[in-house]
Short mmCIF file of all heavy atoms in Angstrom, two decimals:
data_model
loop_
_atom_site.label_atom_id
_atom_site.label_comp_id
_atom_site.label_asym_id
_atom_site.label_seq_id
_atom_site.Cartn_x
_atom_site.Cartn_y
_atom_site.Cartn_z
N ILE A 43 -0.88 -2.28 -7.24
CA ILE A 43 -1.74 -1.32 -7.87
C ILE A 43 -1.55 -1.40 -9.47
O ILE A 43 -2.72 -1.41 -10.07
CB ILE A 43 -1.49 0.13 -7.37
CG1 ILE A 43 -1.90 0.30 -5.92
CG2 ILE A 43 -2.16 1.16 -8.23
CD1 ILE A 43 -1.27 1.52 -5.22
N ILE A 44 -0.49 -1.39 -9.95
CA ILE A 44 -0.33 -1.56 -11.39
C ILE A 44 -0.88 -2.90 -11.83
O ILE A 44 -1.58 -2.91 -12.92
CB ILE A 44 1.18 -1.47 -11.70
CG1 ILE A 44 1.72 -0.03 -11.48
CG2 ILE A 44 1.47 -1.91 -13.25
CD1 ILE A 44 3.24 0.05 -11.40
N GLU A 45 -0.68 -3.98 -11.18
CA GLU A 45 -1.29 -5.29 -11.61
C GLU A 45 -2.78 -5.22 -11.59
O GLU A 45 -3.48 -5.71 -12.43
CB GLU A 45 -0.81 -6.41 -10.76
CG GLU A 45 0.63 -6.73 -11.00
CD GLU A 45 1.26 -7.66 -9.97
OE1 GLU A 45 0.71 -7.92 -8.96
OE2 GLU A 45 2.47 -8.01 -10.15
N GLY A 46 -3.36 -4.58 -10.56
CA GLY A 46 -4.88 -4.39 -10.51
C GLY A 46 -5.28 -3.60 -11.66
O GLY A 46 -6.39 -3.96 -12.20
N ILE A 47 -4.70 -2.52 -11.99
CA ILE A 47 -5.14 -1.66 -13.16
C ILE A 47 -5.10 -2.52 -14.46
O ILE A 47 -5.90 -2.50 -15.31
CB ILE A 47 -4.24 -0.50 -13.23
CG1 ILE A 47 -4.49 0.55 -12.14
CG2 ILE A 47 -4.37 0.28 -14.62
CD1 ILE A 47 -3.45 1.69 -11.97
N ASN A 48 -3.97 -3.25 -14.58
CA ASN A 48 -3.86 -4.09 -15.81
C ASN A 48 -4.79 -5.17 -15.93
O ASN A 48 -5.13 -5.68 -17.01
CB ASN A 48 -2.38 -4.72 -15.82
CG ASN A 48 -1.34 -3.64 -16.27
OD1 ASN A 48 -1.73 -2.53 -16.85
ND2 ASN A 48 -0.13 -3.99 -16.14
N LYS A 49 -5.45 -5.62 -14.82
CA LYS A 49 -6.53 -6.67 -14.84
C LYS A 49 -7.75 -6.11 -15.49
O LYS A 49 -8.42 -6.76 -16.26
CB LYS A 49 -6.81 -7.27 -13.51
CG LYS A 49 -5.82 -8.14 -13.01
CD LYS A 49 -6.20 -8.68 -11.58
CE LYS A 49 -5.05 -9.59 -11.12
NZ LYS A 49 -5.45 -10.20 -9.81
N VAL A 50 -7.98 -4.88 -15.27
CA VAL A 50 -9.10 -4.21 -15.95
C VAL A 50 -8.89 -3.77 -17.42
O VAL A 50 -9.71 -4.00 -18.27
CB VAL A 50 -9.45 -2.80 -15.11
CG1 VAL A 50 -10.61 -2.10 -15.82
CG2 VAL A 50 -9.93 -3.18 -13.65
N LYS A 51 -7.71 -3.20 -17.60
CA LYS A 51 -7.31 -2.88 -18.90
C LYS A 51 -5.71 -2.77 -18.97
O LYS A 51 -5.11 -2.16 -18.19
CB LYS A 51 -7.74 -1.36 -19.29
CG LYS A 51 -7.32 -1.07 -20.70
CD LYS A 51 -7.81 0.33 -21.03
CE LYS A 51 -7.33 0.72 -22.43
NZ LYS A 51 -7.46 2.14 -22.74
N ASP A 52 -5.10 -3.57 -19.90
CA ASP A 52 -3.68 -3.76 -19.94
C ASP A 52 -3.11 -2.42 -20.36
O ASP A 52 -3.15 -2.15 -21.54
CB ASP A 52 -3.33 -4.89 -20.84
CG ASP A 52 -2.00 -5.50 -20.58
OD1 ASP A 52 -1.46 -5.32 -19.49
OD2 ASP A 52 -1.50 -6.20 -21.53
N GLN A 53 -2.55 -1.67 -19.42
CA GLN A 53 -2.01 -0.34 -19.65
C GLN A 53 -0.53 -0.13 -19.45
O GLN A 53 0.17 0.62 -19.99
CB GLN A 53 -2.66 0.69 -18.79
CG GLN A 53 -4.23 0.87 -19.00
CD GLN A 53 -4.79 1.93 -18.20
OE1 GLN A 53 -4.34 3.08 -18.35
NE2 GLN A 53 -5.62 1.58 -17.34
N TYR A 54 -0.01 -0.92 -18.45
CA TYR A 54 1.48 -0.68 -17.91
C TYR A 54 2.23 -1.85 -17.95
O TYR A 54 1.84 -2.97 -17.78
CB TYR A 54 1.36 -0.14 -16.59
CG TYR A 54 0.63 1.10 -16.41
CD1 TYR A 54 -0.59 1.19 -15.57
CD2 TYR A 54 1.01 2.31 -16.98
CE1 TYR A 54 -1.26 2.35 -15.51
CE2 TYR A 54 0.33 3.56 -16.84
CZ TYR A 54 -0.80 3.50 -16.25
OH TYR A 54 -1.61 4.71 -15.91
N ARG A 55 3.63 -1.61 -18.30
CA ARG A 55 4.58 -2.65 -18.19
C ARG A 55 5.77 -2.11 -17.36
O ARG A 55 6.26 -1.01 -17.72
CB ARG A 55 5.18 -3.05 -19.54
CG ARG A 55 6.23 -4.05 -19.57
CD ARG A 55 6.75 -4.50 -20.96
NE ARG A 55 6.84 -3.32 -21.91
CZ ARG A 55 6.18 -3.33 -23.11
NH1 ARG A 55 5.48 -4.34 -23.42
NH2 ARG A 55 6.25 -2.35 -23.86
N VAL A 56 6.02 -2.75 -16.24
CA VAL A 56 7.12 -2.29 -15.34
C VAL A 56 8.38 -2.82 -15.91
O VAL A 56 8.53 -4.07 -15.87
CB VAL A 56 6.77 -2.69 -13.79
CG1 VAL A 56 7.99 -2.24 -12.99
CG2 VAL A 56 5.45 -2.18 -13.33
N VAL A 57 9.21 -1.90 -16.31
CA VAL A 57 10.54 -2.38 -16.98
C VAL A 57 11.74 -2.29 -16.04
O VAL A 57 12.81 -2.69 -16.31
CB VAL A 57 10.85 -1.59 -18.31
CG1 VAL A 57 9.59 -1.85 -19.25
CG2 VAL A 57 10.86 -0.10 -18.00
N GLY A 58 11.58 -1.51 -14.86
CA GLY A 58 12.76 -1.43 -14.04
C GLY A 58 12.44 -0.72 -12.70
O GLY A 58 11.34 -0.17 -12.58
N ILE A 59 13.45 -0.82 -11.82
CA ILE A 59 13.44 -0.09 -10.55
C ILE A 59 14.70 0.65 -10.39
O ILE A 59 15.80 0.24 -10.83
CB ILE A 59 13.37 -1.16 -9.34
CG1 ILE A 59 12.16 -2.15 -9.62
CG2 ILE A 59 13.37 -0.58 -8.06
CD1 ILE A 59 12.30 -3.39 -8.72
N LEU A 60 14.53 1.80 -9.82
CA LEU A 60 15.78 2.67 -9.47
C LEU A 60 15.70 2.80 -7.94
O LEU A 60 14.68 3.11 -7.31
CB LEU A 60 15.66 4.05 -10.12
CG LEU A 60 15.76 4.08 -11.69
CD1 LEU A 60 15.73 5.50 -12.12
CD2 LEU A 60 16.94 3.45 -12.19
N ASP A 61 16.91 2.55 -7.39
CA ASP A 61 16.95 2.58 -5.89
C ASP A 61 18.44 2.87 -5.50
O ASP A 61 19.35 2.41 -6.24
CB ASP A 61 16.55 1.20 -5.38
CG ASP A 61 16.39 1.20 -3.78
OD1 ASP A 61 17.30 1.26 -3.07
OD2 ASP A 61 15.16 1.15 -3.43
N ASP A 62 18.58 3.56 -4.44
CA ASP A 62 19.95 4.01 -4.09
C ASP A 62 20.70 2.88 -3.28
O ASP A 62 21.82 3.06 -2.89
CB ASP A 62 19.97 5.22 -3.20
CG ASP A 62 19.75 6.50 -4.10
OD1 ASP A 62 19.95 6.25 -5.32
OD2 ASP A 62 19.36 7.59 -3.56
N ASN A 63 20.05 1.68 -2.94
CA ASN A 63 20.67 0.66 -2.29
C ASN A 63 21.53 -0.14 -3.28
O ASN A 63 21.00 -0.83 -4.04
CB ASN A 63 19.67 -0.32 -1.62
CG ASN A 63 20.22 -1.34 -0.83
OD1 ASN A 63 21.43 -1.65 -0.90
ND2 ASN A 63 19.42 -1.99 -0.09
N GLU A 64 22.84 0.03 -3.19
CA GLU A 64 23.76 -0.64 -4.13
C GLU A 64 23.67 -2.10 -4.09
O GLU A 64 23.97 -2.78 -5.07
CB GLU A 64 25.21 -0.17 -3.86
CG GLU A 64 25.41 1.28 -4.17
CD GLU A 64 26.80 1.65 -3.83
OE1 GLU A 64 27.74 0.77 -3.61
OE2 GLU A 64 27.10 2.90 -3.84
N GLN A 65 23.24 -2.78 -2.96
CA GLN A 65 23.12 -4.17 -2.88
C GLN A 65 21.99 -4.77 -3.76
O GLN A 65 21.97 -5.89 -4.06
CB GLN A 65 22.81 -4.49 -1.44
CG GLN A 65 23.94 -4.28 -0.50
CD GLN A 65 23.69 -4.67 0.96
OE1 GLN A 65 22.54 -4.72 1.32
NE2 GLN A 65 24.81 -4.81 1.66
N LEU A 66 21.11 -3.88 -4.15
CA LEU A 66 20.04 -4.28 -5.10
C LEU A 66 20.34 -4.23 -6.54
O LEU A 66 19.74 -4.88 -7.37
CB LEU A 66 18.77 -3.45 -4.81
CG LEU A 66 18.19 -3.54 -3.49
CD1 LEU A 66 16.93 -2.49 -3.45
CD2 LEU A 66 17.65 -4.92 -3.19
N TYR A 67 21.47 -3.49 -6.89
CA TYR A 67 21.81 -3.40 -8.31
C TYR A 67 22.04 -4.67 -8.95
O TYR A 67 22.77 -5.59 -8.33
CB TYR A 67 23.04 -2.50 -8.54
CG TYR A 67 22.94 -1.09 -7.94
CD1 TYR A 67 23.96 -0.20 -7.85
CD2 TYR A 67 21.67 -0.57 -7.48
CE1 TYR A 67 23.86 1.09 -7.40
CE2 TYR A 67 21.66 0.78 -7.06
CZ TYR A 67 22.71 1.48 -6.93
OH TYR A 67 22.53 2.76 -6.42
N GLY A 68 21.58 -4.94 -10.11
CA GLY A 68 21.78 -6.18 -10.82
C GLY A 68 20.85 -7.31 -10.42
O GLY A 68 20.93 -8.38 -10.92
N THR A 69 20.03 -6.98 -9.34
CA THR A 69 19.04 -8.07 -8.90
C THR A 69 17.74 -7.83 -9.50
O THR A 69 17.52 -6.78 -10.20
CB THR A 69 19.00 -8.11 -7.33
OG1 THR A 69 18.41 -6.91 -6.96
CG2 THR A 69 20.36 -8.30 -6.78
N LYS A 70 16.81 -8.60 -9.22
CA LYS A 70 15.38 -8.49 -9.61
C LYS A 70 14.48 -8.60 -8.37
O LYS A 70 14.73 -9.41 -7.46
CB LYS A 70 14.85 -9.56 -10.56
CG LYS A 70 15.62 -9.42 -12.04
CD LYS A 70 15.07 -10.29 -12.98
CE LYS A 70 15.72 -10.11 -14.25
NZ LYS A 70 15.12 -11.01 -15.40
N LYS A 71 13.43 -7.86 -8.42
CA LYS A 71 12.42 -7.96 -7.38
C LYS A 71 11.06 -8.20 -8.08
O LYS A 71 10.78 -7.46 -8.94
CB LYS A 71 12.23 -6.57 -6.58
CG LYS A 71 13.56 -6.25 -5.73
CD LYS A 71 13.17 -5.24 -4.68
CE LYS A 71 12.21 -5.74 -3.73
NZ LYS A 71 12.10 -5.12 -2.51
N GLU A 72 10.46 -9.30 -7.75
CA GLU A 72 9.23 -9.78 -8.34
C GLU A 72 9.45 -9.81 -9.88
O GLU A 72 8.60 -9.43 -10.70
CB GLU A 72 8.09 -8.82 -8.04
CG GLU A 72 7.85 -8.68 -6.61
CD GLU A 72 7.36 -10.00 -5.88
OE1 GLU A 72 6.64 -10.76 -6.60
OE2 GLU A 72 7.67 -10.24 -4.75
N GLY A 73 10.64 -10.15 -10.30
CA GLY A 73 10.96 -10.31 -11.73
C GLY A 73 11.32 -9.01 -12.53
O GLY A 73 11.55 -8.95 -13.65
N VAL A 74 11.43 -7.84 -11.68
CA VAL A 74 11.72 -6.59 -12.26
C VAL A 74 13.12 -6.17 -11.97
O VAL A 74 13.51 -6.22 -10.82
CB VAL A 74 10.67 -5.48 -11.73
CG1 VAL A 74 11.02 -4.13 -12.30
CG2 VAL A 74 9.19 -5.81 -11.84
N PRO A 75 13.94 -5.87 -12.90
CA PRO A 75 15.37 -5.63 -12.70
C PRO A 75 15.48 -4.29 -11.98
O PRO A 75 14.91 -3.24 -12.34
CB PRO A 75 15.92 -5.60 -14.10
CG PRO A 75 14.88 -5.27 -15.00
CD PRO A 75 13.65 -5.87 -14.37
#
Side-chain angles (χ1 to χ4, degrees):
I43 291 168
I44 293 165
E45 290 170 350
I47 291 169
N48 283 343
K49 284 182 183 177
V50 175
K51 180 182 177 195
D52 205 18
Q53 295 183 63
Y54 300 113
R55 178 178 38 237
V56 180
V57 297
I59 303 164
L60 297 179
D61 193 289
D62 285 343
N63 181 349
E64 293 179 13
Q65 293 179 341
L66 296 176
Y67 300 171
T69 66
K70 290 185 178 183
K71 291 195 69 163
E72 302 296 328
V74 181

